[in-house]
Amino acid sequence: QVQPVESGGGLVQPGGSLRLSCAASGIAFSIYTTNWYRQAPGKQRERVATITASGTTNYADPVKGRFTISRDNAKNTVYLQINSLKPEDTGVYYCNPIRGWRDYWGQGTQVTVSS
């Protein structure tokens, strides 16, 4: 059973930064497309960033210029660097590696932006 594990969330003040990590045994992120999603309280889960197997990245409009997705193949870890945090970035952030019918979700990591 593949279970991505997210980490790095926490409570941060507006304008602050966090780096989220996603690790998973049993898969190689280098051959997966990996998405980061977030779910705010009372809202639907939304995709915020994607990195393909070839390294192409894509971002949702609300996070462009503030979020950066990256991957370290040697560590088999995908990261989400979040800068200039806003209260509306609050939510649970999930890592979602996909390859064909393989579609895995982690338990998420909580990000709370508040003064």
Side-chain angles (χ1 to χ4, degrees), residues 1-2 8 13-14 27 31 34 37 41 43 54 62 70 81 100-101:
Q1 182 78 14
V2 175
Q13 292 186 340
I27 64 170
I31 61 172
T34 302
Y37 281 78
K43 295 188 177 181
S54 64
S70 62
Q81 178 70 40
W101 58 266

Side-chain angles (χ1 to χ4, degrees), residues 31-108:
I31 61 172
Y32 278 70
T33 288
T34 302
N35 303 301
W36 279 97
Y37 281 78
R38 69 183 179 191
Q39 187 164 19
K43 295 188 177 181
Q44 288 189 330
R45 193 173 295 189
E46 63 173 346
R47 186 192 68 85
V48 295
T50 298
I51 185 166
T52 67
S54 64
T56 301
T57 59
N58 180 269
Y59 301 91
D61 286 343
V63 308
K64 282 180 180 176
R66 300 188 299 120
F67 287 21
T68 303
I69 189 170
S70 62
R71 186 177 66 220
D72 185 328
N73 292 336
K75 295 183 178 179
N76 200 35
T77 301
V78 174
Y79 302 98
L80 185 68
Q81 178 70 40
I82 310 175
N83 298 327
S84 302
L85 276 157
K86 304 176 181 180
E88 52 263 42
D89 294 320
T90 294
V92 180
Y93 283 70
Y94 299 90
C95 171
N96 168 229
I98 296 175
R99 184 170 184 248
W101 58 266
R102 298 171 180 87
D103 185 353
Y104 304 113
W105 290 87
Q107 294 296 312

